[in-house]
Amino acid sequence: MVIDKLDMLNQSQVLRYYDELDRDSKKKLLDQIDNLDMSVLDETNAVEQRGEIKPLSALTLQEVHKQKEKFNNIGVEAIQNGKIGCVLLAGGQGSRLGFDKPKGMFNIGENKDVYIFECLIHNLLEVVKKANAWIPLFIMTSVQNDVDTRTFLAEHNYFGYSKENVMFFVQEQLPTVDTQGKLMLSAKDTISTAPNGNGGWYASMVKSGVLKIVKDSQLEWLNVFAVDNVLQKMADPCFIGAVIDSQKESGSKVVAKADANERVGVMCLEDGKPSIVEYYEMTDEMIHSRESDGKLSYNYGVILNYLFKIENLNKITNTKLPLHKAFKKIKYLDDKGNLINPEEPNAYKYETLVLDMIKLQDSCLAFEVEREKEFAPVKNKNGVDSVDTARALLKLNGIQL
Ligand code: UTP
């Protein structure tokens, strides 16, 4: 059966060491093939056509400032009433950074230890203190980094967070393919797989059982954010308050673009629904288009910090998100059976993206924040969005390294 399945998909190369395997390894490989979602190999599942894109304005810094106290009060009240949970997306592989441990374990300090996880938890603890209430923190890991993440956080005593309020869940895996569309092996008895992208977080919460905790509690909103922004402000009462006050179904923190050509996904309307258009999908005309006040029409870049209403997430759990193919450095077994660790991207992983969940919401509040205070991504070793730029921004915010 399994062998037929591979034949039909023209992927029998993954059985090339099968005859050398012992009984357990044979079973392991066949079970993996049986359970793996191979539908991704069908290119007709590729990303769909975009609808009609139009600008979407944001609640600007000035507007936020005017109502800050009101928003803060609404947000703090929601936290105190146990309505807010946080979801830390930490299942990525950080291949651009080239750090082989979970990115949150990266030590960004210079003269002392300052870990990325520590920066994030420190910011969350500020809110906990302000509200005088714990906020449940769900951490999404991957098969590859789950043990390291749990062990590291336990060893560091959760950087002062309450252990009872930290819950882990593991995201799903999808097969990876080489440039010819062929499945690869990561060991003689294992097909190479990679985490299925940050869009799988809610489905993985459902599958792993942690959603039961959400359902049994009073939680109404989930604030979802990336691990690699060291200035990330989670469960920010002002943001939460503004979204609740706006009566919209979701919210997204945004920053004004540094310049028209900045390579960032921006908030827009797509066929009348809130959405995000990637920089490479924008025409020159869209990039340079301006509104009557002189601001860029597509001005507000997303920083991977979203607020979702749980009620709405439950309605869309069965909706399939578009699949994106990302070209990455992926270890593989060569024809001689050697494990190759490539220096450059060599293969594709399939991902769904959390930003595609915005399109499934009827409304979304784009909430502008100050870039220098809230956006310091650590993506690359050097240059743009790197360890150096993040260190400079941390120092600018008075954090000693
Ligand atoms: P990125 O898109 O930057 O991916 O993740 P990455 O895997 O961390 O890094 P590169 O591209 O290989 O260098 C943005 C956020 O989404 C999370 C990451 O941990 C980060 O917080 N993420 C990404 C997941 O949780 N799971 C994934 O499968 C991918």
Side-chain angles (χ1 to χ4, degrees):
M1 278 283 273
V2 166
I3 296 175
D4 291 347
K5 177 173 167 184
L6 285 175
D7 267 348
M8 265 171 55
L9 293 167
N10 210 5
Q11 297 284 359
S12 331
Q13 76 284 354
V14 291
L15 294 174
R16 64 183 184 276
Y17 299 107
Y18 187 77
D19 291 339
E20 322 175 1
L21 300 177
D22 62 24
R23 232 179 61 191
D24 287 351
S25 291
K26 277 185 175 146
K27 182 171 178 334
K28 182 178 163 205
L29 180 58
L30 294 181
D31 284 350
Q32 189 195 14
I33 296 167
D34 216 15
N35 292 319
L36 214 52
D37 178 1
M38 303 280 193
S39 66
V40 293
L41 302 174
D42 177 359
E43 294 283 326
T44 55
N45 284 330
V47 174
E48 2 100 287
Q49 286 290 308
R50 300 301 301 249
E52 192 197 3
I53 307 285
K54 291 213 166 134
L56 175 70
S57 60
L59 193 68
T60 62
L61 284 176
Q62 290 84 345
E63 288 161 340
V64 171
H65 190 73
K66 274 189 226 148
Q67 305 189 72
K68 203 169 169 183
E69 205 183 317
K70 178 175 103 180
F71 292 157
N72 263 317
N73 290 340
I74 300 174
V76 166
E77 197 187 324
I79 293 168
Q80 289 172 339
N81 289 337
K83 308 246 179 269
I84 311 295
C86 279
V87 182
L88 166 55
L89 303 174
Q93 294 179 296
S95 59
R96 284 170 285 174
L97 184 63
F99 179 61
D100 65 356
K101 293 276 175 201
K103 225 188 225 182
M105 284 174 64
F106 188 82
N107 185 353
I108 199 155
E110 289 173 322
N111 301 312
K112 58 176 190 162
D113 293 340
V114 181
Y115 299 100
I116 291 185
F117 278 137
E118 185 177 4
C119 296
L120 299 181
I121 292 179
H122 173 266
N123 288 353
L124 190 55
L125 277 170
E126 303 258 291
V127 183
V128 167
K129 266 188 234 145
K130 188 170 177 180
N132 195 21
W134 287 106
I135 301 160
L137 172 63
F138 300 93
I139 302 181
M140 180 165 88
T141 61
S142 67
V143 171
Q144 287 87 347
N145 74 16
D146 184 61
V147 173
D148 280 343
T149 305
R150 288 176 197 248
T151 312
F152 178 80
L153 285 170
E155 276 171 6
H156 288 85
N157 208 13
Y158 304 88
F159 294 106
Y161 216 74
S162 90
K163 189 179 163 206
E164 296 69 41
N165 282 289
V166 180
M167 284 134 295
F168 297 87
F169 64 100
V170 182
Q171 70 177 104
E172 320 300 298
Q173 298 277 119
L174 283 174
T176 62
V177 292
D178 66 16
T179 49
Q180 308 302 312
K182 293 287 186 188
L183 294 171
M184 307 186 297
L185 291 173
S186 56
K188 290 185 175 175
D189 61 359
T190 317
I191 295 176
S192 159
T193 61
N196 64 348
N198 57 32
W201 67 275
Y202 198 67
S204 297
M205 280 183 95
V206 176
K207 208 162 177 181
S208 66
V210 294
L211 200 72
K212 190 168 179 320
I213 303 172
V214 174
K215 289 205 166 134
D216 290 349
S217 66
Q218 305 288 311
L219 291 177
E220 284 181 12
W221 297 89
L222 288 174
N223 181 199
V224 183
F225 54 89
V227 71
D228 51 17
N229 172 8
V230 284
L231 287 178
Q232 188 82 267
K233 287 208 172 86
M234 297 78 64
D236 173 1
C238 190
F239 174 47
I240 294 167
V243 177
I244 294 176
D245 188 62
S246 72
Q247 303 201 342
K248 296 199 191 294
E249 287 188 349
S250 62
S252 168
K253 283 199 169 186
V254 296
V255 292
K257 267 171 128 178
D259 61 74
N261 290 307
E262 191 186 2
R263 296 171 151 222
V264 62
V266 293
M267 290 291 303
C268 66
L269 282 175
E270 181 177 354
D271 292 337
K273 291 257 204 152
S275 187
I276 289 144
V277 57
E278 287 289 359
Y279 67 90
Y280 51 82
E281 296 175 306
M282 285 171 62
T283 59
D284 254 13
E285 195 191 330
M286 285 166 80
I287 291 174
H288 297 288
S289 155
R290 292 193 182 262
E291 298 297 287
S292 50
D293 59 2
K295 274 192 192 151
L296 291 170
S297 302
Y298 298 93
N299 191 35
Y300 295 106
V302 289
I303 61 168
L304 220 171
N305 187 325
Y306 302 105
L307 189 67
F308 289 104
K309 207 173 204 170
I310 294 170
E311 198 187 316
N312 290 328
L313 291 172
N314 291 333
K315 286 186 207 150
I316 58 167
T317 34
N318 294 325
T319 311
K320 273 205 163 184
L321 292 172
L323 263 187
H324 299 255
K325 254 171 122 177
F327 200 43
K328 300 258 175 172
K329 289 181 250 177
I330 298 173
K331 290 181 197 164
Y332 67 99
L333 218 59
D334 72 4
D335 287 342
K336 297 188 182 78
N338 302 313
L339 186 65
I340 308 294
N341 195 353
E343 302 265 316
E344 295 298 327
N346 62 312
Y348 293 96
K349 69 174 278 206
Y350 294 94
E351 302 185 306
T352 59
L353 303 178
V354 60
L355 59 83
D356 286 318
M357 293 173 83
I358 291 294
K359 216 162 64 174
L360 304 176
Q361 315 293 315
D362 277 336
S363 52
C364 179
L365 178 75
F367 176 93
E368 188 184 3
V369 298
E370 278 181 73
R371 176 186 287 260
E372 295 72 24
K373 291 196 178 152
E374 298 207 23
F375 191 43
V378 181
K379 296 284 183 194
N380 305 302
K381 268 189 208 151
N382 313 104
V384 180
D385 296 343
S386 65
V387 176
D388 296 338
T389 55
R391 278 190 180 136
L393 284 161
L394 281 169
K395 286 181 200 162
L396 194 75
N397 282 278
I399 293 154
Q400 291 195 349
L401 300 175

